[in-house]
Amino acid sequence: MNPRQGESSSFPWPWSPRISRAALNLNNQMRELWEQHGAWTRMAIISIVFGLPDEKFVLRRLLRNPDDFAAALRPFYGQRNARRFDQLLTEHLTIAADLVRAAQAGKAARVAELDRRWHRNASEIAAFFAEINPFWSEKRWIEMLFEHLRQVRMEAVQMLQRNYQGSIDTYDAIETQSLGMADEMTRGIVRQFPRRF
């Protein structure tokens, strides 16, 4: 299962050909949470852009994602840190929804302001990760989160422009990139708490 030299792999532990059941379960959980993050974000964009009657229900489900992440992180990082991540990720999602509404209304200044807040929030998440886990690189997380923002913004713009195929292609990229973030989270946790895995 080890990748050949120079070959990329999404396998989360390239230094070992075997993983424990506990590590695999954690990776599946992280991947599910990031998949849900991307999927419900897309559904929220669609509901907002087209004024669908399910908008408040979709947003409510989307905003459950930070709670679910917090529940997954709590056994490792405690209540206080789990709550902090819940707050940061909730802010990430609410800014995204506000940004789509502002773009739809053609409010360029508001879009620019929200985009600055969105990137500041991503930087705060990256710094928080580096603070609680020595195996999570702040620089690496900034790169990944900024790429995530770029892709989600592109997805929303394409939907607003009725470029449906483009938005689907972008979502495919979001899904792949989100799974990479899930694997990064898993790697860090497994390395930080090896006795649990």
Side-chain angles (χ1 to χ4, degrees):
M1 293 182 72
N2 279 337
R4 292 184 295 272
Q5 188 173 7
E7 180 182 343
S8 64
S9 171
S10 62
F11 188 69
W13 302 278
W15 59 84
S16 173
R18 293 185 296 177
I19 61 172
S20 68
R21 173 61 62 182
L24 180 61
N25 288 343
L26 176 68
N27 195 223
N28 286 337
Q29 182 182 30
M30 291 299 123
R31 282 179 157 233
E32 180 179 27
L33 289 170
W34 277 107
E35 282 267 14
Q36 291 171 350
H37 181 88
W40 286 105
T41 295
R42 177 172 176 80
M43 285 185 264
I45 290 169
I46 292 170
S47 294
I48 292 169
V49 168
F50 297 107
L52 300 182
D54 68 350
E55 180 181 331
K56 70 176 182 179
F57 301 98
V58 171
L59 290 174
R60 183 186 306 153
R61 175 58 184 86
L62 174 63
L63 291 175
R64 198 183 90 193
N65 186 246
D67 292 337
D68 293 340
F69 263 112
L73 295 178
R74 193 173 294 116
F76 303 101
Y77 300 105
Q79 178 65 27
R80 183 168 154 273
N81 285 325
R83 187 184 307 117
R84 176 62 178 149
F85 185 60
D86 189 337
Q87 293 167 345
L88 287 167
L89 196 59
T90 297
E91 183 181 4
H92 161 79
L93 294 171
T94 55
I95 291 171
D98 289 344
L99 204 155
V100 173
R101 293 188 187 100
Q104 186 176 35
K107 298 179 178 178
R110 176 66 172 157
V111 167
E113 175 197 350
L114 288 166
D115 192 61
R116 285 191 296 271
R117 285 178 51 198
W118 211 22
H119 281 79
R120 184 169 62 247
N121 166 263
S123 296
E124 289 172 356
I125 292 172
F128 170 75
F129 280 165
E131 178 185 325
I132 66 172
N133 187 321
F135 299 102
W136 284 340
S137 161
E138 181 174 355
K139 180 176 181 289
R140 175 67 178 139
W141 272 105
I142 286 176
E143 290 171 354
M144 290 189 296
L145 290 169
F146 277 23
E147 176 62 13
H148 176 67
L149 300 190
R150 186 192 70 77
Q151 291 177 339
V152 170
R153 180 171 178 165
M154 182 185 298
E155 179 183 34
V157 168
Q158 289 168 329
M159 194 64 67
L160 286 163
Q161 293 175 343
R162 307 302 195 253
N163 179 4
Y164 305 126
Q165 184 58 56
S167 77
I168 290 170
D169 295 341
T170 299
Y171 176 73
D172 284 342
I174 289 170
E175 184 178 38
T176 299
Q177 201 257 349
S178 294
L179 292 176
M181 290 194 288
D183 292 348
E184 190 73 15
M185 289 189 83
T186 304
R187 276 193 293 268
I189 293 172
V190 171
R191 294 182 72 185
Q192 188 178 15
F193 303 99
R195 292 185 179 181
R196 299 196 191 187
F197 300 96

